[in-house]
Amino acid sequence: MKWIFHVDMDAFFAAVELMRHPELKGKAVVVGGTGDPMKRGVVSTASYEARKFGIHSGMPLRTAYKICPEAIFLPVDYPTYANISKKIKTILRGFSPMVQDAGLDEAFLDMSHIGQPPDKIAKAIKQHIKSETGLTCSIGIAPNKLLAKIASDLDKPDGLTIITERGIEGRIWPLPVKKIWGVGPKTEEYLARLGVKTIGDLASLSLDTLITQFGQAHGNYLYLASRGIDESPVVSHREPKSISRETTFQKDVGDWQILARVLARLTQDVVTRMKALGYRCRTITVKLRFADFKTHTRTMTLAEPTDALGTVRQAGFKCLNRIALVKRVRLIGMRVSGLEKKKRLT
């Protein structure tokens, strides 16, 4: 039988911070931006104590503060999270060569040919991650990626959930439709106007109805997903196209020196991530979004691929210099692309 695992770290950024600050355990902890809820920024991760107040990823920090002013707000430390993520992915590849990286805090594993009970393997994975990093994860096990991802979210934190095809009607259909991978707020709102609130409601609609409402591709996807059907494979060698970081200022900035300092920090984060993944880049892009929300980008392509921080930073500054600061800046971003796998010395 086909067994796909979805390994999802529990409140990853917040969990890392709680390891570094054990005195905060049991408190509402919010990680996002610079850690100042009075400044612009969004929630990256919230501890489960904070989530009880309704705080969630993507929420403006100021809104999170209004909901729970007693919460502890901490800045994002991307390089640290990236290094721990790399260790976790190494652990996972020790259990299966078929690992699809789905972000810093999650991955899919194809465990179909391991020849052991899936729950036994999952418990071993959880124990190994816990012993090596001190962190907990939740694992969903199912015949495909779609159901595995849904399953991993059903018993958080530190959960282990198995869903089979026979369990779709009883365990999947009662869930809200937003639990389907790829159903965002706009689709959820549109479905609600059609009277669709649960996955079971969605499954009751005909394929023709969904195609009429959402078009051929998306309608067909919703029809299959509501029935727990997903044929997408675990892709273990998908190459990233780019690596990027950006930040939104708490107050619009018109000072080039401030922009340069922030760009240098973003560049360090990007290069740290790139090195952790074993890549070098050829193309550097800097993005500025002005106060009127108009966005300008400048790109520079290098003669040779590099992972040298100084080289990438210098190229970033050259790109920044090519954008006229005629208005104050709301957001700045750095992206590297044209990635090439770094050759290992033999």
Side-chain angles (χ1 to χ4, degrees), residues 52-311:
K52 292 177 182 177
F53 291 90
I55 297 173
H56 57 79
S57 298
M59 173 182 286
L61 290 174
R62 290 176 182 174
T63 303
Y65 180 77
K66 289 178 181 178
I67 293 175
C68 184
E70 64 269 28
I72 308 299
F73 289 83
L74 298 174
V76 174
D77 183 357
Y78 191 85
T80 295
Y81 309 148
N83 287 333
I84 295 175
S85 174
K86 183 179 179 182
K87 181 182 291 187
I88 292 167
K89 301 302 169 53
T90 298
I91 291 171
L92 297 181
R93 291 185 179 93
F95 284 86
S96 172
M98 297 298 294
V99 177
Q100 180 176 331
D101 195 334
L104 284 182
D105 60 347
E106 60 179 316
F108 292 98
L109 289 76
D110 191 335
M111 307 295 287
S112 303
H113 307 293
I114 301 302
Q116 297 184 49
D119 57 336
K120 181 180 179 180
I121 304 172
K123 289 175 182 177
I125 291 173
K126 288 164 64 70
Q127 183 179 7
H128 200 160
I129 290 176
K130 177 74 172 179
S131 64
E132 291 293 321
T133 69
L135 302 172
T136 64
C137 67
S138 295
I139 298 181
I141 304 173
N144 58 53
K145 289 161 62 177
L146 172 74
L147 293 177
K149 187 171 177 65
I150 293 175
S152 67
D153 193 47
L154 291 181
D155 193 26
K156 276 186 163 289
D158 201 17
L160 199 173
T161 305
I162 301 177
I163 294 178
T164 64
E165 293 176 351
R166 288 179 296 179
I168 292 173
E169 184 174 347
R171 304 192 67 181
I172 300 301
W173 283 3
L175 298 175
V177 72
K178 65 180 180 180
K179 292 292 185 180
I180 291 180
W181 195 5
V183 173
K186 290 185 179 180
T187 301
E188 182 185 12
E189 182 181 349
Y190 192 91
L191 286 169
R193 293 200 294 268
L194 298 176
V196 174
K197 294 184 178 180
T198 68
I199 297 176
D201 293 338
L202 182 60
S204 69
L205 299 181
S206 69
L207 177 59
D208 288 342
T209 297
L210 289 171
I211 290 176
T212 299
Q213 296 293 332
F214 295 97
Q216 183 72 40
H218 196 41
N220 188 64
Y221 170 75
L222 292 174
Y223 179 82
L224 295 174
S226 67
R227 291 159 174 76
I229 300 171
D230 175 26
E231 300 297 334
S232 62
V234 172
V235 181
S236 59
H237 298 293
R238 177 174 294 164
E239 302 290 340
K241 295 182 179 179
S242 65
I243 300 170
S244 62
R245 290 281 287 147
E246 61 184 35
T247 189
T248 301
F249 296 108
Q250 63 276 13
K251 293 182 179 179
D252 297 336
V253 171
D255 187 330
W256 190 93
Q257 294 295 335
I258 294 176
L259 294 174
R261 285 199 297 270
V262 174
L263 182 62
R265 175 173 57 80
L266 295 176
T267 301
Q268 183 171 7
D269 289 351
V270 167
V271 171
T272 297
R273 175 64 172 163
M274 182 171 63
K275 286 184 175 181
L277 293 173
Y279 286 93
R280 296 183 297 180
C281 69
R282 280 185 176 271
T283 303
I284 291 88
T285 301
V286 171
K287 175 173 71 174
L288 293 186
R289 178 167 297 144
F290 292 101
D292 59 3
F293 284 88
K294 290 185 178 179
T295 302
H296 295 257
T297 61
R298 294 294 183 271
T299 297
M300 181 175 181
T301 299
L302 306 174
E304 298 291 337
T306 184
D307 63 357
L309 174 60
T311 302

